[in-house]
Amino acid sequence: MQKRPDQFYLVREDMLPEAMLKTVEAKELLESGKCDKINVAVQEVGLSRSAFYKYKDGIFPFHTMVKEKIITLSVFLEDRSGTLSKLLSLIAQTGANVLTINQTIPLQGKATITLSIETAAMNSDVTVLLDKIEQLDPVLKVELIGSGT
């Protein structure tokens, strides 16, 4: 199999080797300013410098890959007065920008809303937004159904 540098895979965290996970931790320490030198960051997480340099340009948390992109969410919720307003208010609080809204006709007191959201100005990552939406009282299910530029 020929290796291509632009080929990507989505891998569950518990399937990754420890060295890759520690590389992500070291990168986060450096980016946050908690450590100002690579030597200190790798020592802090228990990783060799050579392993850090091997993986540093090849592993990224999922939320960094969806920054400055447009995501599409499907939200299944109860049809109650003020529900859409609560949802949009929550999204606005994160700094995201709603681009499109499409709602199905409510059937048996439930509806599906599809939202396209621009995430570049968000003050948290997409997974936090999904968790917050899922915790809203009228929301039954939320799914990330697409992302792109």
Side-chain angles (χ1 to χ4, degrees):
M1 184 167 96
Q2 187 179 33
K3 293 183 181 181
R4 293 182 7 216
D6 62 340
Q7 183 78 27
F8 293 92
Y9 298 92
L10 186 59
V11 180
R12 208 174 60 226
E13 181 179 20
D14 64 337
M15 301 299 292
L16 292 171
E18 186 177 2
M20 287 184 160
L21 293 172
K22 287 183 176 188
T23 299
V24 171
E25 287 180 56
K27 287 173 64 171
E28 287 172 353
L29 288 172
L30 292 164
E31 289 171 12
S32 70
K34 291 180 183 173
C35 293
D36 60 346
K37 296 187 188 277
I38 292 172
N39 286 346
V40 176
V42 295
Q43 187 175 16
E44 182 82 22
V45 299
L47 180 70
S48 70
R49 279 176 41 100
S50 62
F52 176 81
Y53 282 110
K54 178 178 181 179
Y55 296 122
K56 74 175 181 72
D57 294 326
I59 185 161
F60 308 94
F62 179 73
H63 66 87
T64 63
M65 299 305 288
V66 294
K67 278 285 190 198
E68 298 183 19
K69 302 227 180 200
I70 297 169
I71 61 170
T72 303
L73 302 178
S74 175
V75 184
F76 185 60
L77 41 71
E78 296 175 8
D79 182 41
R80 288 193 245 152
S81 179
T83 298
L84 181 58
S85 177
K86 284 181 186 177
L87 176 62
L88 295 176
S89 177
L90 175 70
I91 292 168
Q93 289 171 10
T94 68
N97 182 32
V98 176
L99 302 173
T100 64
I101 303 170
N102 184 19
Q103 180 177 335
T104 61
I105 295 173
L107 296 174
Q108 299 177 349
K110 295 175 180 59
T112 300
I113 297 174
T114 305
L115 299 164
S116 293
I117 301 170
E118 210 259 305
T119 62
M122 282 181 55
N123 53 29
S124 63
D125 63 60
V126 173
T127 56
V128 172
L129 174 62
L130 294 176
D131 289 342
K132 286 181 179 181
I133 291 172
E134 205 157 51
Q135 291 171 10
L136 283 176
D137 179 40
V139 173
L140 302 170
K141 185 178 180 183
V142 61
E143 291 181 294
L144 175 67
I145 59 173
S147 68
T149 54

